[in-house]
């Protein structure tokens, strides 16, 4: 199998440009980067497929070596569909972002900025608060007794019209009080 060096270089450039574009704050550039990554992936799958051959149908070729590999073709179709779906989602995000703020850039959230500016002392304080919360988890519960439990099991004693003949996973008892296992001779 002879792979063209030009195809490998083009694929590598597409991957590099796609990753670089996805690291930007502009959602439009993220979309362009994702499209470049999708095309680079399709090119990679075409390179992996090797030399084109006869369609892989039964009886279409004299030998297996003449047929092309169908797996990279199926993976390429799947990659195309996934790229299309994620691109449509990103386009919807870009449109909504443009409607709300007249810009498609992702800005830092106030909480993210606070986390970024937090020092080691604040981290220790947060760790201590988390430990206190974990110790309280065992002591508190919403349902302590059966009086406040959210599920009540009803039987024939609670309602006269209730039939209590649902199947159960217990061995059946015969009228003499012996179970089916004892009748089979399992109790030696």
């Amino acid at each position: 199998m002879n792979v063209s060096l030009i195809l490998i270089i083009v694929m590598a450039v597409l991957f590099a440009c796609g990753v670089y574009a996805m690291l930007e704050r502009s959602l439009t550039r993220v979309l362009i980067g994702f499209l470049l990554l999708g095309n680079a992936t399709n090119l990679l799958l075409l390179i992996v497929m090797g030399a084109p051959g006869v369609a892989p149908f039964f009886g279409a070729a004299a030998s297996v070596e003449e047929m092309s590999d169908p797996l990279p073709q199926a993976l390429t179709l799947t990659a195309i569909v996934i790229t299309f779906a994620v691109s449509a989602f990103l386009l919807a995000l870009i449109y909504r972002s443009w409607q709300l703020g007249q810009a498609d850039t992702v800005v830092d959230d106030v909480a993210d900025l606070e986390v970024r500016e937090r020092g080691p002392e604040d981290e220790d304080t947060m760790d201590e608060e988390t430990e206190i919360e974990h110790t309280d988890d065992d002591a508190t519960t919403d349902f302590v007794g059966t009086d406040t439990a959210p599920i009540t099991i009803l039987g024939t004693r609670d309602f006269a019209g209730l039939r209590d003949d649902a199947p159960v996973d217990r061995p059946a008892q015969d009228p003499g009080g012996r179970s089916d296992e004892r009748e089979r001779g399992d109790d030696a």
Side-chain angles (χ1 to χ4, degrees):
M1 172 171 86
N2 243 346
V3 177
S4 174
L5 183 63
I6 295 173
L7 286 178
I8 294 175
I9 292 172
V10 168
M11 179 200 61
V13 168
L14 283 175
F15 269 122
C17 292
V19 169
Y20 180 75
M22 285 186 76
L23 294 176
E24 295 291 327
R25 286 195 174 267
S26 171
L27 290 176
T28 306
R29 291 184 183 169
V30 170
L31 174 66
I32 291 170
F34 184 76
L35 291 173
L36 288 173
L37 280 178
N39 288 329
T41 303
N42 293 338
L43 191 56
L44 171 70
L45 290 171
L46 286 175
I47 290 170
V48 168
M49 186 172 57
V54 179
F57 294 119
F58 181 72
S63 67
V64 179
E65 288 80 25
E66 294 177 6
M67 292 184 195
S68 63
D69 190 8
L71 182 64
Q73 296 173 14
L75 291 175
T76 303
L77 286 174
T78 306
I80 290 170
V81 170
I82 291 171
T83 303
F84 176 74
V86 175
S87 298
F89 178 71
L90 282 173
L91 278 172
L93 281 178
I94 292 168
Y95 179 70
R96 185 67 180 156
S97 174
W98 186 260
Q99 273 186 335
L100 292 176
Q102 298 296 321
D104 68 339
T105 57
V106 178
V107 295
D108 283 334
D109 192 23
V110 176
D112 291 338
L113 292 173
E114 289 175 4
V115 169
R116 190 181 303 160
E117 294 170 357
R118 199 176 331 159
E121 298 84 20
D122 298 329
E123 291 290 331
D124 294 337
T125 306
M126 286 189 65
D127 290 340
E128 291 170 4
E129 290 174 3
T130 306
E131 290 172 5
I132 292 171
E133 289 174 4
H134 288 308
T135 57
D136 290 343
D137 286 344
D138 297 334
T140 59
T141 180
D142 291 337
F143 309 109
V144 176
T146 56
D147 298 336
T148 60
I151 298 174
T152 304
I153 299 174
L154 300 175
T156 54
R157 292 183 216 120
D158 299 321
F159 293 103
L162 185 66
R163 289 182 33 201
D164 208 8
D165 58 348
V168 293
D169 291 337
R170 289 177 278 182
Q173 297 280 332
D174 67 337
R178 294 170 39 115
S179 68
D180 291 340
E181 289 117 11
R182 291 188 201 149
E183 289 177 2
R184 285 183 267 155
D186 291 341
D187 61 337

PDB file of all heavy atoms in Angstrom, residues 62-78:
ATOM      1  N   ALA A  62     -12.665 -11.370  -7.862  1.00  0.00           N
ATOM      2  CA  ALA A  62     -12.151 -12.731  -7.936  1.00  0.00           C
ATOM      3  C   ALA A  62     -11.468 -13.140  -6.631  1.00  0.00           C
ATOM      4  O   ALA A  62     -11.529 -14.301  -6.229  1.00  0.00           O
ATOM      5  CB  ALA A  62     -11.173 -12.854  -9.108  1.00  0.00           C
ATOM      6  N   SER A  63     -10.813 -12.187  -5.959  1.00  0.00           N
ATOM      7  CA  SER A  63     -10.148 -12.502  -4.686  1.00  0.00           C
ATOM      8  C   SER A  63     -10.395 -11.378  -3.681  1.00  0.00           C
ATOM      9  O   SER A  63     -10.834 -10.289  -4.033  1.00  0.00           O
ATOM     10  CB  SER A  63      -8.640 -12.699  -4.906  1.00  0.00           C
ATOM     11  OG  SER A  63      -8.050 -11.476  -5.275  1.00  0.00           O
ATOM     12  N   VAL A  64     -10.062 -11.676  -2.439  1.00  0.00           N
ATOM     13  CA  VAL A  64     -10.273 -10.706  -1.368  1.00  0.00           C
ATOM     14  C   VAL A  64      -9.330  -9.515  -1.513  1.00  0.00           C
ATOM     15  O   VAL A  64      -9.676  -8.390  -1.141  1.00  0.00           O
ATOM     16  CB  VAL A  64     -10.067 -11.399   0.007  1.00  0.00           C
ATOM     17  CG1 VAL A  64     -10.248 -10.414   1.140  1.00  0.00           C
ATOM     18  CG2 VAL A  64     -11.024 -12.566   0.167  1.00  0.00           C
ATOM     19  N   GLU A  65      -8.151  -9.702  -2.064  1.00  0.00           N
ATOM     20  CA  GLU A  65      -7.173  -8.631  -2.211  1.00  0.00           C
ATOM     21  C   GLU A  65      -7.649  -7.535  -3.160  1.00  0.00           C
ATOM     22  O   GLU A  65      -7.192  -6.396  -3.084  1.00  0.00           O
ATOM     23  CB  GLU A  65      -5.824  -9.174  -2.684  1.00  0.00           C
ATOM     24  CG  GLU A  65      -5.066  -9.960  -1.643  1.00  0.00           C
ATOM     25  CD  GLU A  65      -5.584 -11.387  -1.514  1.00  0.00           C
ATOM     26  OE1 GLU A  65      -6.156 -11.918  -2.489  1.00  0.00           O
ATOM     27  OE2 GLU A  65      -5.437 -11.960  -0.428  1.00  0.00           O
ATOM     28  N   GLU A  66      -8.542  -7.870  -4.089  1.00  0.00           N
ATOM     29  CA  GLU A  66      -9.041  -6.881  -5.043  1.00  0.00           C
ATOM     30  C   GLU A  66     -10.110  -5.974  -4.437  1.00  0.00           C
ATOM     31  O   GLU A  66     -10.406  -4.925  -4.992  1.00  0.00           O
ATOM     32  CB  GLU A  66      -9.619  -7.587  -6.269  1.00  0.00           C
ATOM     33  CG  GLU A  66      -8.591  -8.329  -7.082  1.00  0.00           C
ATOM     34  CD  GLU A  66      -9.234  -9.073  -8.242  1.00  0.00           C
ATOM     35  OE1 GLU A  66     -10.455  -8.917  -8.456  1.00  0.00           O
ATOM     36  OE2 GLU A  66      -8.528  -9.809  -8.929  1.00  0.00           O
ATOM     37  N   MET A  67     -10.707  -6.378  -3.312  1.00  0.00           N
ATOM     38  CA  MET A  67     -11.788  -5.609  -2.699  1.00  0.00           C
ATOM     39  C   MET A  67     -11.231  -4.479  -1.836  1.00  0.00           C
ATOM     40  O   MET A  67     -10.138  -4.570  -1.291  1.00  0.00           O
ATOM     41  CB  MET A  67     -12.646  -6.505  -1.802  1.00  0.00           C
ATOM     42  CG  MET A  67     -13.452  -7.529  -2.515  1.00  0.00           C
ATOM     43  SD  MET A  67     -14.476  -8.393  -1.333  1.00  0.00           S
ATOM     44  CE  MET A  67     -14.968  -9.790  -2.278  1.00  0.00           C
ATOM     45  N   SER A  68     -12.005  -3.419  -1.724  1.00  0.00           N
ATOM     46  CA  SER A  68     -11.628  -2.336  -0.806  1.00  0.00           C
ATOM     47  C   SER A  68     -12.211  -2.656   0.571  1.00  0.00           C
ATOM     48  O   SER A  68     -13.194  -3.371   0.700  1.00  0.00           O
ATOM     49  CB  SER A  68     -12.137  -0.991  -1.318  1.00  0.00           C
ATOM     50  OG  SER A  68     -13.547  -1.007  -1.360  1.00  0.00           O
ATOM     51  N   ASP A  69     -11.595  -2.088   1.585  1.00  0.00           N
ATOM     52  CA  ASP A  69     -12.007  -2.342   2.960  1.00  0.00           C
ATOM     53  C   ASP A  69     -13.282  -1.543   3.264  1.00  0.00           C
ATOM     54  O   ASP A  69     -13.282  -0.311   3.163  1.00  0.00           O
ATOM     55  CB  ASP A  69     -10.878  -1.941   3.916  1.00  0.00           C
ATOM     56  CG  ASP A  69     -11.127  -2.401   5.329  1.00  0.00           C
ATOM     57  OD1 ASP A  69     -12.090  -3.153   5.555  1.00  0.00           O
ATOM     58  OD2 ASP A  69     -10.350  -2.008   6.217  1.00  0.00           O
ATOM     59  N   PRO A  70     -14.384  -2.184   3.664  1.00  0.00           N
ATOM     60  CA  PRO A  70     -15.624  -1.437   3.893  1.00  0.00           C
ATOM     61  C   PRO A  70     -15.668  -0.711   5.242  1.00  0.00           C
ATOM     62  O   PRO A  70     -16.446   0.220   5.414  1.00  0.00           O
ATOM     63  CB  PRO A  70     -16.704  -2.523   3.836  1.00  0.00           C
ATOM     64  CG  PRO A  70     -16.002  -3.760   4.241  1.00  0.00           C
ATOM     65  CD  PRO A  70     -14.591  -3.624   3.747  1.00  0.00           C
ATOM     66  N   LEU A  71     -14.855  -1.097   6.206  1.00  0.00           N
ATOM     67  CA  LEU A  71     -14.915  -0.480   7.529  1.00  0.00           C
ATOM     68  C   LEU A  71     -14.548   1.005   7.510  1.00  0.00           C
ATOM     69  O   LEU A  71     -15.280   1.824   8.066  1.00  0.00           O
ATOM     70  CB  LEU A  71     -14.039  -1.249   8.521  1.00  0.00           C
ATOM     71  CG  LEU A  71     -14.054  -0.726   9.945  1.00  0.00           C
ATOM     72  CD1 LEU A  71     -15.446  -0.864  10.545  1.00  0.00           C
ATOM     73  CD2 LEU A  71     -13.038  -1.451  10.790  1.00  0.00           C
ATOM     74  N   PRO A  72     -13.435   1.423   6.880  1.00  0.00           N
ATOM     75  CA  PRO A  72     -13.159   2.862   6.832  1.00  0.00           C
ATOM     76  C   PRO A  72     -14.236   3.658   6.094  1.00  0.00           C
ATOM     77  O   PRO A  72     -14.504   4.812   6.439  1.00  0.00           O
ATOM     78  CB  PRO A  72     -11.818   2.962   6.107  1.00  0.00           C
ATOM     79  CG  PRO A  72     -11.174   1.650   6.322  1.00  0.00           C
ATOM     80  CD  PRO A  72     -12.293   0.662   6.360  1.00  0.00           C
ATOM     81  N   GLN A  73     -14.888   3.045   5.108  1.00  0.00           N
ATOM     82  CA  GLN A  73     -15.970   3.733   4.417  1.00  0.00           C
ATOM     83  C   GLN A  73     -17.144   3.970   5.357  1.00  0.00           C
ATOM     84  O   GLN A  73     -17.717   5.067   5.392  1.00  0.00           O
ATOM     85  CB  GLN A  73     -16.418   2.918   3.208  1.00  0.00           C
ATOM     86  CG  GLN A  73     -15.348   2.775   2.157  1.00  0.00           C
ATOM     87  CD  GLN A  73     -15.759   1.814   1.056  1.00  0.00           C
ATOM     88  OE1 GLN A  73     -16.914   1.441   0.935  1.00  0.00           O
ATOM     89  NE2 GLN A  73     -14.789   1.415   0.241  1.00  0.00           N
ATOM     90  N   ALA A  74     -17.483   2.969   6.156  1.00  0.00           N
ATOM     91  CA  ALA A  74     -18.577   3.121   7.121  1.00  0.00           C
ATOM     92  C   ALA A  74     -18.211   4.141   8.201  1.00  0.00           C
ATOM     93  O   ALA A  74     -19.050   4.952   8.611  1.00  0.00           O
ATOM     94  CB  ALA A  74     -18.900   1.765   7.747  1.00  0.00           C
ATOM     95  N   LEU A  75     -16.962   4.117   8.655  1.00  0.00           N
ATOM     96  CA  LEU A  75     -16.523   5.085   9.655  1.00  0.00           C
ATOM     97  C   LEU A  75     -16.517   6.501   9.094  1.00  0.00           C
ATOM     98  O   LEU A  75     -16.827   7.465   9.808  1.00  0.00           O
ATOM     99  CB  LEU A  75     -15.138   4.710  10.177  1.00  0.00           C
ATOM    100  CG  LEU A  75     -15.068   3.442  11.031  1.00  0.00           C
ATOM    101  CD1 LEU A  75     -13.623   3.125  11.379  1.00  0.00           C
ATOM    102  CD2 LEU A  75     -15.902   3.584  12.278  1.00  0.00           C
ATOM    103  N   THR A  76     -16.186   6.660   7.821  1.00  0.00           N
ATOM    104  CA  THR A  76     -16.208   7.980   7.188  1.00  0.00           C
ATOM    105  C   THR A  76     -17.634   8.521   7.117  1.00  0.00           C
ATOM    106  O   THR A  76     -17.874   9.697   7.417  1.00  0.00           O
ATOM    107  CB  THR A  76     -15.588   7.917   5.782  1.00  0.00           C
ATOM    108  OG1 THR A  76     -14.260   7.418   5.880  1.00  0.00           O
ATOM    109  CG2 THR A  76     -15.568   9.274   5.123  1.00  0.00           C
ATOM    110  N   LEU A  77     -18.577   7.670   6.744  1.00  0.00           N
ATOM    111  CA  LEU A  77     -19.972   8.110   6.718  1.00  0.00           C
ATOM    112  C   LEU A  77     -20.448   8.503   8.113  1.00  0.00           C
ATOM    113  O   LEU A  77     -21.151   9.504   8.289  1.00  0.00           O
ATOM    114  CB  LEU A  77     -20.860   7.005   6.148  1.00  0.00           C
ATOM    115  CG  LEU A  77     -20.761   6.792   4.639  1.00  0.00           C
ATOM    116  CD1 LEU A  77     -21.579   5.586   4.225  1.00  0.00           C
ATOM    117  CD2 LEU A  77     -21.219   8.026   3.908  1.00  0.00           C
ATOM    118  N   THR A  78     -20.048   7.731   9.122  1.00  0.00           N
ATOM    119  CA  THR A  78     -20.419   8.056  10.494  1.00  0.00           C
ATOM    120  C   THR A  78     -19.798   9.378  10.929  1.00  0.00           C
ATOM    121  O   THR A  78     -20.451  10.207  11.575  1.00  0.00           O
ATOM    122  CB  THR A  78     -19.979   6.926  11.439  1.00  0.00           C
ATOM    123  OG1 THR A  78     -20.518   5.691  10.966  1.00  0.00           O
ATOM    124  CG2 THR A  78     -20.445   7.176  12.851  1.00  0.00           C
TER     125      THR A  78
END
